[in-house]
Amino acid sequence: MATPRVIGSDAVEDARRRGRIVFEVLPGDIVTALARETAERVGIALVDGPLERPKPPRTDGAVSMRRVLYRRSPKWVAPSRAPRKARKLGKLALIGAGGVGGNIAHLAAMADIADEIALIDITPGLAASTALDLNHTSGITGARARCVGGEAMDLVAGADVVVVTAGRARRPGMTRADLIDVNARVIRQSAEAIRSAAPNAIVIVVTNPLDEMTVEMLRATGFPREQVLGMAGTLDSSRFRNALAMAAGVTPADVEAFTLGSHGDEMAPIPSRARIKGRPLDVFLSREQIEACVQDAITGGGQVVALRKSGSATIAPAHASIELIDHIRGARTGPVPVSVMLHGEYGIDGVVLGVPAHLGAGGLVEVEELRLTAKENAALQNAAEAIRVRLGL
Ligand SMILES: NC(=O)c1ccc[n+]([C@@H]2O[C@H](COP(=O)([O-])OP(=O)(O)OC[C@H]3O[C@@H](n4cnc5c(N)ncnc54)[C@H](O)[C@@H]3O)[C@@H](O)[C@H]2O)c1
Ligand SMILES: O=C(O)C[C@H](O)C(=O)O
């Protein structure tokens, strides 16, 4: 079996000419650890950092369709670029070490995202045992993060980022909104600890119902909106991309698509901005197929609940949470769908809603206001109204 070789970008063309498979891996990215492990087994070349791609040839005055499409949908359809230098967190704290929290800890340790990962869970022994279990992987994986775990909330102390997954998950027959009362209490407890022990942390809320719990976290911490983000759009967008890829018979990497709005029945997938191989959806899919993909994204969480019966999705939500952390620490750039308190953007005020936004070390940097179709805009307004009603605003 060939020995894997990590090569620099100057050697890429040479590797290609010799028929080797070349993977672009990004330093500090979650892909890196996993890809390296696989590469070790099969012997493929890994290239650290973005590849230098030749610029498309310019034609006299004529512009290719691909360029026109990119120009119409600036930044958003282009894959987010990963700069070479990502900031490693000093401490990542996870309140809730169940299905989602445990998976986030695992991914974060493998991707070397933080020096320390602290897990906190009310279930006796759960967080401590998961932390120990993760530390036991380091002899195999070489993971450098030190994991600690326990029941005491003061383990959040000094965290740069706190992800809150504590609370109940729904079961078949329930909506996410059924969890409002029981999970709001957990959010308030978490908020109290974060406010006193980690007042500068960026908080990512995952607990459902997502939009309402993000509002609760904002209220209970008193933090500015920049500091409190809700994770749902990265998950729902991944589900939307998966559905589109399956319908069109392409790989998800060929699909750019995202969802906005609430993390519930009023989710607003945005087909008008979606692209398959850089082209609009209707080049590949019928109107009925596109609508089926929209519905698949909206019902994706419920589909997992119906199959699992004892809880909800854990793996994709963990990856989706890592995607937000990667934006915060500069490992990814460009707009990302995230739930934030709106102050007039999209004509909506005083409600947390999923929108495209730029993130950075201080959390929210800026909400990006995209031009949407009338139908998509109505779906966004409808989502805002539904949340207002549920929260009695
Ligand atoms: N936003 C999203 O896209 C998304 C995706 C998946 C799951 N979720 C939500 O995330 C939450 C967690 O899901 P899960 O699958 O990890 O559930 P889980 O039951 O596996 O884990 C939840 C953990 O929270 C702990 N917990 C409960 N109250 C606590 C408290 N006061 N302090 C500390 N820990 C406490 C429990 O002991 C449990 O271990 C649920 O509300 C679920 O609906 C949201
Ligand atoms: O569906 C759920 O209850 C969990 C989560 O919100 C999801 O979308 O997977």
Side-chain angles (χ1 to χ4, degrees):
M1 189 168 286
T3 315
R5 211 159 57 95
V6 180
I7 56 177
S9 53
D10 53 346
V12 172
E13 286 314 317
D14 178 51
R16 281 212 173 106
R17 263 198 302 278
R18 288 189 287 117
R20 300 190 72 195
I21 302 167
V22 177
F23 272 136
E24 176 181 327
V25 296
L26 306 163
D29 197 292
I30 186 72
V31 170
T32 310
L34 301 176
R36 274 180 209 287
E37 209 180 302
T38 311
E40 230 150 85
R41 267 183 260 118
V42 297
I44 51 182
L46 297 180
V47 183
D48 276 316
L51 304 183
E52 292 294 324
R53 290 195 176 80
K55 290 214 166 69
R58 292 196 66 132
T59 47
D60 276 352
V63 208
S64 78
M65 178 55 83
R66 192 178 171 81
R67 285 180 73 85
V68 170
L69 290 173
Y70 271 92
R71 198 175 291 168
R72 275 214 206 111
S73 311
K75 288 185 276 182
W76 189 247
V77 292
S80 74
R81 301 286 304 169
R84 278 163 196 272
K85 264 241 168 293
R87 192 173 61 96
K88 189 172 173 184
L89 304 180
K91 180 169 176 176
L92 170 66
L94 307 168
I95 304 184
V100 182
N103 273 298
I104 295 174
H106 189 189
L107 294 174
M110 292 303 104
D112 204 22
I113 274 175
D115 294 324
E116 183 183 348
I117 300 172
L119 294 107
I120 299 139
D121 200 291
I122 201 171
T123 301
L126 177 63
S129 62
T130 304
L132 185 60
D133 200 9
L134 283 169
N135 287 334
H136 286 171
T137 68
S138 64
I140 303 163
T141 62
R144 283 179 294 186
R146 281 293 92 193
C147 300
V148 294
E151 284 112 67
M153 282 281 186
D154 57 12
L155 275 171
V156 296
D160 302 296
V161 174
V162 182
V163 184
V164 182
T165 65
R168 294 246 183 97
R170 66 175 163 150
R171 288 167 186 250
M174 293 173 78
T175 67
R176 296 177 180 95
D178 292 336
L179 300 166
I180 284 194
D181 291 338
V182 64
N183 283 349
R185 282 195 289 276
V186 178
I187 292 293
R188 284 195 289 272
Q189 277 173 12
S190 309
E192 208 178 301
I194 297 167
R195 198 182 54 217
S196 57
N200 299 317
I202 306 303
V203 184
I204 300 177
V205 178
V206 176
T207 304
N208 270 320
L210 191 274
D211 306 281
E212 289 82 349
M213 293 306 102
T214 308
V215 172
E216 194 63 45
M217 181 62 79
L218 274 159
R219 278 183 187 153
T221 52
F223 285 175
R225 73 162 179 165
E226 286 74 14
Q227 228 177 311
V228 179
L229 313 170
M231 186 291 290
T234 44
L235 171 64
D236 299 330
S237 300
S238 179
R239 287 177 174 155
F240 190 29
R241 284 195 284 270
N242 178 59
L244 290 167
M246 302 246 295
V250 301
T251 68
D254 287 331
V255 181
E256 304 296 330
F258 61 96
T259 69
L260 306 179
S262 82
H263 182 53
D265 293 343
E266 307 87 19
M267 188 189 300
I270 307 293
S272 75
R273 311 287 297 204
R275 297 289 181 271
I276 295 174
K277 296 189 175 186
R279 307 180 73 189
L281 299 187
D282 57 10
V283 173
F284 294 86
L285 300 172
S286 68
R287 193 185 299 195
E288 291 72 28
Q289 283 176 305
I290 295 170
E291 184 49 32
C293 293
V294 164
Q295 289 309 320
D296 205 39
I298 295 174
T299 60
Q303 292 174 37
V304 176
V305 171
L307 288 167
R308 178 161 294 182
K309 298 192 170 60
S310 59
S312 50
T314 57
I315 300 169
H319 279 273
S321 304
I322 294 283
E323 188 176 347
L324 288 190
I325 297 172
D326 275 348
H327 275 267
I328 290 167
R329 67 191 194 91
R332 290 170 185 257
T333 57
V336 62
V338 58
S339 298
V340 294
M341 174 60 77
L342 295 182
H343 288 165
E345 296 93 348
Y346 292 94
I348 298 167
D349 197 44
V351 173
V352 165
L353 211 59
V355 289
H358 296 263
L359 306 180
L364 174 68
V365 174
E366 187 187 20
V367 172
E368 183 146 327
E369 294 201 64
L370 299 171
R371 197 148 41 85
L372 305 176
T373 65
K375 190 176 165 200
E376 291 162 350
N377 196 38
L380 208 57
Q381 305 298 326
N382 179 42
E385 195 45 39
I387 293 167
R388 262 197 202 101
V389 168
R390 283 201 286 273
L391 287 174
L393 297 172

